[in-house]
């Protein structure tokens, strides 16, 4: 396992380096000039040249990329002399719109996106696995058909439509919950949960449908295996057969999609955060696109790639514990 993890970590480093290089090159080839945006509309040519030198944009692309990589592992300075700005480790660039290092912006927004992703993940796992297992145990019965029709229906609804309907029905019409905002969990756990409940539900309804269909198919396949029939023939309790043997065997594909979904959401849900006004990483990415703040866009892209790659690595490790056959 140690050798396997070592090889995978080397692969993770290679993937992150490739993503960084491709993304950096794309931003370099874009027609937008970050120095011109930072300098302003009334910027003179001399001042524009000074801003480019301070941002390191007057150098060839390979030197800019090398300085960017060095900044990630050791920090870097933007500009020189008394006006130099230091960007500490890990430096993912310096936002000229916020006048802050990109890493500081990400750390400030990360708790919002993590709270949103983890809460929604718990809901969609409970709803999706519950509906999928129930449908598998009642295959081709009315309960199975109703649950699958509901799952297809909820999967067909865009998240922005569900979010708007939840705001209109629960907040404005019924007044059951406050308009979503972010509160620190340590300050008041109840306010933290009540203000994030609607975004959790909006995301959970979208993802739970996929998990319901996937878990149903996996459970039906697992329950038809010979070892399941043997366990039943030996008189093993139905709950033990279903949970310990059937569900555990059918969890492998669920882990795969769960790792991808959770890894993507940890880097921000752009649409959900924008509609509910949550100051997460997704909203930061959206604002960066509107303002052409390329360091912010690049930083969020790298963070998203990091979460997805690490999530895939953790899923591969969990395979060995969920399904002992993987160890061999």
């Amino acid at each position: 396992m140690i050798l396997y993890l070592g090889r995978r970590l080397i692969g993770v480093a290679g993937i992150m380096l490739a993503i960084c290089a491709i993304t950096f090159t794309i931003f370099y080839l874009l027609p937008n000039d970050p120095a011109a945006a930072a300098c302003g509309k009334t910027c003179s040519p001399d001042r524009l040249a000074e801003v480019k030198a301070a941002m390191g944009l007057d150098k060839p692309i390979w030197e800019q990329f090398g300085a960017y990589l060095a900044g990630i592992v050791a920090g870097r300075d933007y500009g020189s002399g008394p006006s130099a700005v230091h960007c500490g480790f890990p430096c993912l660039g310096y936002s000229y719109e916020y006048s802050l290092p990109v890493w500081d912006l990400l750390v400030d927004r990360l708790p919002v996106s993590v709270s949103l992703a983890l809460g929604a993940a718990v809901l969609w796992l409970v709803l999706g696995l519950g509906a999928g297992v129930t449908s598998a145990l009642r295959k081709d019965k009315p309960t199975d058909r109703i649950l699958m029709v509901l799952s297809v229906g909820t999967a067909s609804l865009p998240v922005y439509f569900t979010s708007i309907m939840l705001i209109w029905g629960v907040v404005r019409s019924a007044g059951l919950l406050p308009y979503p905002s972010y509160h620190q969990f340590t300050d008041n756990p109840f306010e933290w949960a009540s203000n994030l409940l609607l975004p959790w539900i909006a995301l959970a309804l979208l993802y739970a449908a996929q998990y319901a269909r996937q878990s149903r198919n996996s459970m039906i396949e697992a329950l038809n295996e010979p070892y399941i029939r043997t366990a039943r023939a030996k008189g093993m309790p139905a709950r033990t057969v279903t949970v310990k043997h059937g569900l555990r065997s059918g969890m492998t594909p669920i882990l795969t999609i769960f790792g991808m979904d959770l890894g993507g959401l940890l880097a921000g849900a752009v649409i959900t955060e924008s509609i509910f006004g949550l100051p997460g990483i997704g909203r930061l990415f959206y604002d960066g696109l509107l303002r052409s703040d390329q360091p912010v866009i690049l930083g969020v892209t790298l963070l998203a790639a990091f979460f997805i790659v690490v999530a895939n690595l953790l899923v591969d490790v969990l395979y060995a514990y969920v399904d002992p056959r993987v160890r061999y």
Side-chain angles (χ1 to χ4, degrees), residues 115-193:
S115 299
L116 180 62
L118 293 181
V122 171
L123 277 182
W124 83 54
L125 276 179
V126 172
L127 295 175
L129 291 181
V133 172
T134 302
S135 296
L137 295 177
R138 292 167 174 78
K139 180 184 177 183
D140 297 330
K141 294 182 179 179
T143 303
D144 176 27
R145 296 189 179 94
I146 292 173
L147 289 175
M148 288 300 100
V149 168
L150 290 176
S151 66
V152 172
T154 54
S156 303
L157 297 176
V159 67
Y160 60 83
F161 176 80
T162 306
S163 301
I164 294 174
M165 289 296 100
L166 287 173
I167 293 174
W168 176 79
V170 178
V171 177
R172 295 185 177 178
S173 299
L176 298 177
L177 290 173
Y179 191 88
S181 60
Y182 182 73
H183 296 266
Q184 293 286 345
F185 176 81
T186 54
D187 294 340
N188 191 324
F190 178 76
E191 287 190 3
W192 171 82

Side-chain angles (χ1 to χ4, degrees), residues 256-286:
T256 302
I257 60 174
F258 181 74
M260 295 291 294
D261 292 338
L262 183 59
L265 274 184
L266 285 174
V270 178
I271 297 176
T272 306
E273 291 179 5
S274 299
I275 292 177
F276 289 103
L278 297 174
I281 293 179
R283 182 62 182 270
L284 177 67
F285 181 77
Y286 176 73

Side-chain angles (χ1 to χ4, degrees), residues 32-41 48 51 55 96-97 291-293:
N32 295 332
D33 187 359
C39 191
K41 295 182 179 179
L48 180 60
V51 173
M55 298 176 65
Y96 46 84
E97 288 290 337
R291 301 172 181 176
S292 298
D293 197 347

Side-chain angles (χ1 to χ4, degrees), residues 57-76:
L57 299 178
D58 58 336
K59 301 177 181 178
I61 183 174
W62 55 86
E63 292 187 18
Q64 295 184 36
F65 183 63
Y68 188 82
L69 292 180
I72 294 178
V73 298
R76 62 182 295 192

